[in-house]
Amino acid sequence: MNYVWDLFMSQDPPKPPTTFAEPWRVVPWRDKKKDFDYVTAYEPHPEAECLRVLLYGPPGTGKSSFINSVDSALRGRISTRASAASGYDQSFTTKYRSYKIQRETPGTFYSLVFSDIMGIEKVSGRGVDVENIKLIMRGHVHDGCKLFPGGTPTGSDYRESPTIKDKAHVLVCVISAATLNLMDAEFVRRIKEVRQEAEAAGIPQIVVLTKIDEACPEVKKSIRNVYMSKHLKTQMEQLSVTVGFPMNCVFPVQNYSEQTETDEDTDTLILNAMRKIIDYGQDFLIDNIPPTEPKNRYSE
Ligand SMILES: Nc1nc2c(ncn2[C@@H]2O[C@H](COP(=O)(O)OP(=O)(O)OP(=O)(O)O)[C@@H](O)[C@H]2O)c(=O)[nH]1
Ligand SMILES: [Mg+2]
């Protein structure tokens, strides 16, 4: 009797499950082709020329890696064009630079432009400051400009009268799920400031939540657990509450960082996020480019 009791007491209480029984959001695993075709076929209004996606966020969260990951998912091989590095407290990217993704035929490109900037840093005097993000968002900064905190672009770096093709059409805040709990209040304040400015300019906003593999062992085991993981859902809810992004604007991805080959499931999440980015950006273009007058057939 004592033996049975001792045995019972020596056992740890059962741990609550770390995953849901059913995913809380539907992902078209094994059907990435739909999103792939959607992204590859996308053509914005000719006045916009391309859909301009501006990425921002704290340093080292995976902004440059996300550009490389979309490039990799579209081209079917790992790309490392946007410089990514393993620095975490200081921004590795130091310029405002735009990237296009090449189609199979050399010299032809997808209708997407990614603008990569250095991270927002919590220490003033480093990284990109919020004033400069506002200028980039409104199309005042020329590509290739080196941004100095506290200073604004002047001369040939400054565009006096931007048109719709120079402005950001969708703003993507890149946050790491692995360090979300450690995110400083100062980061949150700066991100909120950018959000308010984007809201005032009517620019749609999305969050790409990276490093989900580092944040959750279940996801590391299989990326298909992304919407089964209780931990990740809590992270997303927390992000939504602290920074104010609605849950349906948050898209978790795992960037290509160590892999040497692309894979279907990683591509699926990246392309799914990309499709949403296109949809949101397209709404902005519809609202901001007046429809062309239908041709009057009697005046020809
Ligand atoms: N495991 C994992 N590592 C990632 C992921 N995304 C990015 N990384 C790694 O995180 C590090 C920083 O990534 P970057 O893409 O340089 O980050 P960034 O936001 O562009 O950084 P700055 O330009 O310095 O602001 C690199 O070592 C990447 O390989 C991810 O989803 N999972
Ligand atoms: Mg970078």
Side-chain angles (χ1 to χ4, degrees):
M1 169 68 189
N2 268 351
Y3 170 75
V4 174
W5 177 247
D6 286 350
L7 188 68
F8 175 73
M9 289 305 287
S10 71
Q11 282 177 357
D12 288 337
K15 286 187 183 146
T18 54
T19 53
F20 297 109
E22 294 289 327
W24 59 275
R25 200 185 264 176
V26 179
V27 178
W29 304 115
R30 294 182 187 283
D31 197 11
K32 76 158 193 186
K33 198 170 171 337
K34 253 194 202 154
D35 288 342
F36 179 86
D37 289 346
Y38 188 88
V39 175
T40 53
Y42 173 71
E43 291 291 342
H45 191 285
E47 242 178 83
E49 291 178 6
C50 282
L51 187 85
R52 199 167 269 278
V53 182
L54 174 60
L55 305 171
Y56 76 105
T61 51
K63 299 178 287 300
S64 303
S65 300
F66 181 65
I67 299 176
N68 290 333
S69 299
V70 174
D71 194 338
S72 306
L74 289 176
R75 297 170 76 191
R77 62 173 177 77
I78 298 293
S79 154
T80 52
R81 285 170 61 231
S83 324
S86 43
Y88 285 90
D89 62 335
Q90 200 167 346
S91 202
F92 181 72
T93 303
T94 53
K95 272 187 188 171
Y96 162 57
R97 209 186 137 184
S98 298
Y99 292 88
K100 279 188 169 188
I101 298 175
Q102 194 173 303
R103 288 185 187 265
E104 259 172 55
T105 320
T108 60
F109 297 89
Y110 290 102
S111 303
L112 304 165
V113 173
F114 289 93
S115 301
D116 190 20
I117 51 177
M118 58 248 249
I120 299 182
E121 299 197 17
K122 59 181 179 195
V123 184
S124 26
R126 278 196 352 206
V128 62
D129 64 29
V130 172
E131 281 314 306
N132 280 330
I133 299 183
K134 292 179 189 173
L135 289 176
I136 294 172
M137 211 187 293
R138 293 182 180 267
H140 286 292
V141 183
H142 275 286
D143 195 21
C145 171
K146 209 163 165 100
L147 298 166
F148 296 101
T152 46
T154 51
S156 60
D157 284 335
Y158 188 80
R159 187 182 286 115
E160 198 69 50
S161 316
T163 63
I164 188 79
K165 70 175 174 31
D166 307 311
K167 296 180 182 176
H169 306 142
V170 52
L171 202 63
V172 176
C173 183
V174 181
I175 305 267
S176 157
T179 51
L180 186 63
N181 292 335
L182 310 171
M183 203 159 72
D184 200 272
E186 186 53 23
F187 279 134
V188 174
R189 192 190 65 73
R190 289 181 186 205
I191 290 170
K192 279 186 173 167
E193 213 182 318
V194 176
R195 267 178 68 63
Q196 277 165 6
E197 177 70 15
E199 248 166 57
I203 303 172
Q205 306 176 50
I206 274 187
V207 177
V208 165
L209 190 68
T210 57
K211 305 196 184 183
I212 52 173
D213 52 319
E214 274 184 18
C216 175
E218 296 296 339
V219 176
K220 195 158 182 89
K221 246 189 263 163
S222 164
I223 194 170
R224 289 197 183 195
N225 286 333
V226 56
Y227 293 117
M228 306 282 282
S229 159
K230 290 187 174 178
H231 174 67
L232 270 191
K233 183 158 191 259
T234 310
Q235 299 272 82
M236 288 168 68
E237 283 163 351
Q238 188 189 327
L239 179 68
S240 180
V241 171
T242 47
V243 195
F245 290 102
M247 282 286 272
N248 59 6
C249 293
V250 183
F251 296 93
V253 301
Q254 180 182 336
N255 282 325
Y256 287 113
S257 58
E258 302 161 349
Q259 304 83 334
T260 52
E261 302 289 336
T262 57
D263 77 85
E264 289 274 317
D265 290 346
T266 309
D267 280 359
T268 299
L269 279 191
I270 292 165
L271 292 170
N272 200 243
M274 204 49 234
R275 182 181 183 144
K276 299 294 173 200
I277 291 172
I278 289 178
D279 285 345
Y280 281 54
Q282 179 63 11
D283 285 347
F284 175 79
L285 293 178
I286 290 171
D287 292 346
N288 287 275
I289 301 179
T292 34
E293 289 290 314
K295 267 196 182 163
N296 182 344
R297 62 197 174 101
Y298 297 109
S299 66
E300 282 173 358

